[in-house]
Amino acid sequence: MQQMKIHVEAADRVFVLTGAGISAESGLPTFRASDGLWSGHRIEEVCTPEAWERNPALVWEFYSKRREDGAKAQPNPAHIALAELEAQVGDRFFLCTQNVDDLHERGGSQRLVHMHGELAKSRCEDDCGRPPVEDRAIYKSLAEVGHCACGARLRPHIVFFGEIPLEMGRIERAISDSTLMIVVGTSGSVYPAANFVHWARQGGARTVYIGPERPLNASAFTYVVEGKAGEVMPGLFTVDA
Ligand code: APR
């Protein structure tokens, strides 16, 4: 059987959205695979501003564990395939990930934004205006957590449920400029990311979904490539010079 190809034309501007599924084959469980639970807590209970107010030690325990798991994981062939596509497409490529791991960067991606934040950074809990700082520490207790120069405690540089995603202006411009949208490994259940495909369709872009299950917004895609990203993405793209 001939494998389907996604053809990238010389005039295409490519917008890629990735979700937890692209890191699944690197050993990082998706939100859905874990039934939305962590150590008996609903994930929303450790990833909200209210959780941070109520129990910052628990929130840091959760993100310290994710830092530990993320540091052990390696990019898989799907991360590499996107980095190779970017190398061919150059400035006509834009990657937006919902993932907070750094597997895209470690796989070689350069033009990317983390709309839900980054595990390897922390920032002021009072949003005093200072930029996030590199922080890969695995905290054993709240007493170990550092403070911002303004004196407030550092919190994970993560967009909690109910907070506004990062870089939305740049993301919206890149979607409206795009002619081809490729979405990988996301269930289509978290907004605004689940709407990106609709915005791209309104602008006339072709839209492709890659993953083993149909996402909730599957009907908005021109094509669905069914399979695990690490298995179907190598060799999937043909790129016009
Ligand atoms: N390859 C591609 N897709 C996969 C693979 C794989 N090997 N394994 C699982 N998937 C797909 C699942 O079919 C599912 O549709 O990945 C998707 C994972 O869905 P979710 O767990 O809901 O993750 P995501 O859509 O990224 O969640 C969005 O919700 O947890 C919050 O802020 C967090 O960024 C996250 C957001």
Side-chain angles (χ1 to χ4, degrees), residues 89-143:
V89 175
D91 286 337
R92 295 181 291 114
F93 182 94
F94 187 97
L95 171 57
C96 171
T97 185
Q98 297 169 87
N99 299 343
V100 295
D101 65 56
D102 61 358
L103 294 177
H104 282 302
E105 289 91 330
R106 289 201 272 135
S109 290
Q110 292 177 6
R111 296 165 180 85
L112 83 160
V113 299
H114 283 272
M115 66 180 289
H116 291 163
E118 292 174 73
L119 263 183
K121 292 183 180 171
S122 297
R123 70 165 191 266
C124 175
E125 68 167 345
D126 285 348
D127 281 328
C128 73
R130 290 179 176 83
V133 292
E134 292 284 327
D135 181 8
R136 293 170 195 272
I138 292 157
Y139 296 115
K140 298 273 183 267
S141 75
L142 198 57

Side-chain angles (χ1 to χ4, degrees), residues 133-204:
V133 292
E134 292 284 327
D135 181 8
R136 293 170 195 272
I138 292 157
Y139 296 115
K140 298 273 183 267
S141 75
L142 198 57
E144 292 177 11
V145 177
H147 289 80
C148 178
C150 76
R153 183 180 285 134
L154 289 177
R155 62 165 267 183
H157 181 47
I158 299 286
V159 176
F160 293 145
F161 287 95
E163 295 183 325
I164 298 168
L166 307 173
E167 308 256 27
M168 282 309 296
R170 260 177 86 194
I171 292 168
E172 284 173 23
R173 281 192 297 280
I175 294 174
S176 74
D177 282 351
S178 68
T179 58
L180 173 61
M181 175 176 277
I182 300 165
V183 178
V184 188
T186 174
S187 54
S189 55
V190 174
Y191 289 83
N195 266 334
F196 290 0
V197 64
H198 300 289
W199 301 347
R201 283 299 284 271
Q202 280 161 14

Side-chain angles (χ1 to χ4, degrees), residues 32-88:
R32 292 194 133 189
S34 60
D35 287 333
L37 289 176
W38 174 76
S39 288
H41 303 281
R42 289 218 57 78
I43 290 181
E44 291 89 335
E45 287 170 27
V46 284
C47 310
T48 59
E50 296 74 25
W52 176 254
E53 284 294 316
R54 199 170 46 236
N55 195 345
L58 182 70
V59 174
W60 264 123
E61 189 186 338
F62 174 69
Y63 284 105
S64 291
K65 177 75 175 84
R66 292 189 69 184
R67 282 182 176 177
E68 205 170 4
D69 295 343
K72 284 186 214 142
Q74 296 300 327
N76 68 55
H79 297 103
I80 309 283
L82 285 180
E84 288 174 356
L85 178 62
E86 178 182 356
Q88 290 178 277

